[in-house]
Amino acid sequence: MVVSVEDVSSSLVREYLSRKGLKRTMACMDEEHPRTAASINNRSHLRQILNMEALYKNNKDSNRKRQSQRVEGPQLLTKEENTREGPPLTDPHPKRDIAQIDCTGGSRGWRSRVQRENSFGKVGPNCPEAETCPAASGLSEMVLDDVDDDDDLRDLSKVSFERTVAEPSCRGRPMDQHRAAELKTLLLGSSLNCFSVEWRNQGFTFSETHDLRYGIVQKKGGPCGVLASIQAFVLKNLLFEKVGGLQRLRPSSTCRRKCLVLATAEILWRAGEEKQATLAVNSGRNHFTPAGHYKSEGVFEKITCFTVDSIKDLQSLVEQHIEQFETGALGCVLLTISAVLSRSVEKVREDMDVPTTTLVGAHGYCTQELVNLFLCGRAVSNVFDDDMELDSGNANMTLLKGIKGHCDIGLLSLFEHYNICKVGSYLKTPRYPIWVVCSESHFSVLFGLQRELLTSMDTDLEFDLYYYDGLANQQEEIRLTVSVGKFATRCQDVDTDLIPPLEHCIRTRWKDAVISWNDTEPIL
């Protein structure tokens, strides 16, 4: 097989980085320039290609001679001779015991070579460059198939080469045109369609308004369903997972970023049925040249996918790439693609009532299928509980698929107020008092601070709910006081045309509730 200059060059660079112990640099290289089937992955093969076998043997014989000379003479001096005044006669850098140079940071859990030459650099567990990036585990080193040739490393047979159980196994897989076309068809309806500018320019950047630091800012209309969903899970971690501390609604930059990492991992892990998940990241370089019935937009061609099979590995992987999602322009697109890949294209189509449905609808709006994928891990088409069968005539039954169980995050819809749909109890009464609100073709978030309002059997309640809309250029905290039962003292002669849609949504959950906007301007 003919070996390309690029493959040889890549192998040489990887060998150099491996020898220097620059594992984080190698992780970046493996992400931006993933290995392929043509890659050279062992040193013996590389030496053969470069015609360096003879040079390698001569160099190894020279090393043996130098090593034997260092062992002779000076080490036979008596203790008294070593303590005489003047410069020491023994080697100031004796050969270290192999147990002292255990480098456990490598992706294959191998023990470091004895550091005989300065050119090898110092690699150890305390060396910053020896830290292993979770996403690159399994990629950092070339195959050490020439270790057995070194006489001074024969004792390595006594050392365990077993991979550390805690090390994640995660190999990057570059996107190809076939998979890209499948994704574009599912998301946008055709491989000739492209994401709108509003989608491509949307990341998960947080607000710097003092009272709204927890909020993700939406630049333009379109991907609000994705933004509201990730916002809801950020709030769940901030308010109820002891991440936010006392300043839950005014988190630090570090705290809210951590919540974004946890929220992203949770959404993808649920989409992968809590068995595995896939994270799509921008590698910065094209992996295929578009051809045929496919329109390029500079997004799918640059994607590398990492698949993991544990939630901890997923969280580490997301944390490593979180800047692409938080501050990167493609954050919203990458998370959507990651959710689909975690579920798989095939299962997403099986989830839908109509398999040809797209996840991004007219005008770039998120469909209910996409929002449900984020909220409950399945891209079902409906919001009622469980499945429903309808008689479509001629002894044919139509299966309508709904929500299978209680979700962490709920949903309230203005469409229910207009009797267009029925939101089931699984979404109306989620595990946490946080709801994505669908109103006027837009998604936003409503949330409370006390879980008790979901479990209280008392029909007479008064509690506060907070409202956040990332698209509305919101500048202040919106706190609503909801009164139910005996606390509700409804005003008479209310003009129904002036009732805010948000109030209608709230009353689909708490019937006849009276809602106070607490001196903030109602959103009509």
Side-chain angles (χ1 to χ4, degrees):
M1 181 179 70
V2 178
V3 181
S4 69
V5 174
E6 182 179 2
D7 289 331
V8 175
S9 302
S10 299
S11 179
L12 285 171
V13 172
R14 283 191 169 91
E15 170 66 358
Y16 173 80
L17 296 176
S18 174
R19 294 280 184 168
K20 287 293 186 180
L22 303 177
K23 302 185 184 302
R24 287 190 293 183
T25 306
M26 184 175 286
C28 293
M29 179 177 179
D30 284 331
E31 177 185 323
E32 296 182 2
H33 187 72
R35 304 189 192 207
T36 65
S39 297
I40 304 167
N41 291 319
N42 67 73
R43 291 169 180 160
S44 295
H45 188 199
L46 180 60
R47 290 197 300 267
Q48 293 172 3
I49 293 173
L50 297 175
N51 296 318
M52 295 177 59
E53 289 292 336
L55 181 61
Y56 168 75
K57 292 180 180 179
N58 291 336
N59 187 55
K60 188 167 65 172
D61 290 340
S62 299
N63 284 339
R64 287 173 180 164
K65 292 179 181 179
R66 286 198 297 270
Q67 185 67 20
S68 62
Q69 290 172 358
R70 286 166 55 185
V71 173
E72 293 174 359
Q75 293 187 359
L76 300 179
L77 294 174
T78 64
K79 181 176 180 181
E80 289 77 7
E81 291 175 312
N82 282 330
T83 57
R84 290 182 297 183
E85 293 183 1
L89 297 179
T90 57
D91 186 355
H93 302 290
K95 180 176 178 180
R96 297 166 61 190
D97 185 88
I98 195 165
Q100 295 177 322
I101 55 172
D102 174 16
C103 181
T104 58
S107 65
R108 298 186 182 276
W110 59 285
R111 305 275 178 166
S112 174
R113 288 176 176 273
V114 177
Q115 305 298 310
R116 298 192 303 265
E117 302 295 326
N118 292 336
S119 61
F120 284 97
K122 296 181 179 180
V123 182
N126 296 322
C127 175
E129 284 293 341
E131 296 176 2
T132 301
C133 171
S137 294
L139 298 176
S140 298
E141 316 298 341
M142 299 181 69
V143 176
L144 302 183
D145 60 348
D146 59 338
V147 168
D148 293 337
D149 293 337
D150 291 345
D151 294 342
D152 55 282
L153 291 181
R154 286 176 181 171
D155 288 340
L156 279 176
S157 59
K158 302 176 183 178
V159 180
S160 171
F161 279 80
E162 293 183 2
R163 188 188 187 95
T164 304
V165 175
E167 290 182 1
S169 177
C170 176
R171 181 176 294 276
R173 184 179 72 256
M175 182 72 68
D176 58 51
Q177 182 169 322
H178 174 72
R179 176 59 63 172
E182 282 187 327
L183 287 166
K184 292 189 75 169
T185 301
L186 175 61
L187 288 161
L188 306 167
S190 169
S191 59
L192 295 177
N193 293 338
C194 298
F195 280 106
S196 65
V197 174
E198 290 78 10
W199 273 83
R200 293 200 302 270
N201 290 341
Q202 183 66 60
F204 303 114
T205 304
F206 286 97
S207 171
E208 294 304 330
T209 301
H210 180 261
D211 291 337
L212 303 172
R213 286 181 55 82
Y214 60 83
I216 296 172
V217 178
Q218 182 176 353
K219 298 178 181 179
K220 297 284 184 68
C224 54
V226 170
L227 290 163
S229 299
I230 190 74
Q231 177 73 75
F233 281 98
V234 166
L235 286 165
K236 174 203 162 185
N237 284 279
L238 189 65
L239 301 175
F240 301 105
E241 301 296 343
K242 299 181 180 179
V243 179
L246 296 177
Q247 297 296 320
R248 295 183 296 176
L249 294 181
R250 295 170 180 81
S252 66
S253 298
T254 300
C255 175
R256 63 190 185 182
R257 170 173 279 197
K258 181 178 180 181
C259 289
L260 180 61
V261 169
L262 295 174
T264 300
E266 184 175 357
I267 288 171
L268 300 183
W269 189 242
R270 183 175 289 105
E273 298 180 341
E274 300 184 348
K275 297 177 182 177
Q276 67 172 27
T278 298
L279 186 72
V281 299
N282 181 8
S283 67
R285 61 186 294 272
N286 290 342
H287 301 302
F288 65 89
T289 302
H293 194 75
Y294 181 93
K295 185 175 181 180
S296 172
E297 58 186 313
V299 176
F300 290 90
E301 299 90 328
K302 293 180 170 62
I303 287 178
T304 297
C305 303
F306 295 94
T307 299
V308 293
D309 55 8
S310 91
I311 183 63
K312 292 297 184 183
D313 291 349
L314 179 58
Q315 290 170 350
S316 298
L317 183 63
V318 173
E319 184 175 14
Q320 178 191 343
H321 297 284
I322 193 59
E323 286 191 5
Q324 287 198 19
F325 296 87
E326 183 177 3
T327 60
L330 291 174
C332 195
V333 171
L334 291 175
L335 182 58
T336 301
I337 293 172
S338 299
V340 173
L341 291 175
S342 295
R343 180 66 177 158
S344 85
V345 171
E346 296 74 17
K347 287 185 178 180
V348 167
R349 292 201 183 280
E350 292 173 2
D351 290 339
M352 300 172 174
D353 289 348
V354 180
T356 56
T357 302
T358 61
L359 296 180
V360 179
H363 311 294
Y365 295 155
C366 300
T367 63
Q368 189 64 55
E369 287 84 354
L370 180 54
V371 174
N372 285 345
L373 176 62
F374 273 73
L375 295 184
C376 67
R378 299 174 68 246
V380 294
S381 302
N382 306 286
V383 292
F384 48 69
D385 294 347
D386 303 314
D387 296 342
M388 183 183 301
E389 286 189 343
L390 293 182
D391 186 351
S392 53
N394 298 322
N396 294 321
M397 301 298 293
T398 299
L399 180 65
L400 302 180
K401 301 169 185 175
I403 307 300
K404 296 296 185 182
H406 283 284
C407 302
D408 285 356
I409 305 299
L411 181 133
L412 301 176
S413 176
L414 186 62
F415 290 121
E416 182 171 12
H417 169 73
Y418 293 122
N419 294 318
I420 297 175
C421 75
K422 174 66 176 177
V423 179
S425 62
Y426 290 155
L427 286 174
K428 275 188 184 175
T429 309
R431 296 188 182 94
Y432 297 87
I434 306 171
W435 294 265
V436 169
V437 177
C438 177
S439 174
E440 306 289 351
S441 300
H442 181 58
F443 291 94
S444 50
V445 180
L446 187 72
F447 62 96
L449 305 182
Q450 296 85 27
R451 295 185 69 177
E452 292 75 20
L453 69 91
L454 294 174
T455 57
S456 175
M457 302 302 293
D458 192 350
T459 57
D460 301 319
L461 297 172
E462 187 168 77
F463 53 90
D464 289 339
L465 294 177
Y466 294 80
Y467 178 71
Y468 180 74
D469 183 357
L471 184 61
N473 193 27
Q474 190 172 327
Q475 295 298 314
E476 61 180 349
E477 180 180 87
I478 298 178
R479 179 178 59 85
L480 309 175
T481 298
V482 180
S483 302
V484 183
K486 69 180 183 181
F487 292 101
T489 55
R490 180 180 294 279
C491 298
Q492 300 297 319
D493 302 323
V494 176
D495 187 347
T496 56
D497 292 336
L498 297 179
I499 296 177
L502 180 59
E503 291 191 21
H504 289 314
C505 293
I506 292 174
R507 291 190 184 103
T508 65
R509 173 62 177 80
W510 291 279
K511 188 177 180 181
D512 298 326
V514 172
I515 298 152
S516 170
W517 287 75
N518 296 315
D519 298 326
T520 58
E521 191 69 23
I523 300 173
L524 297 177

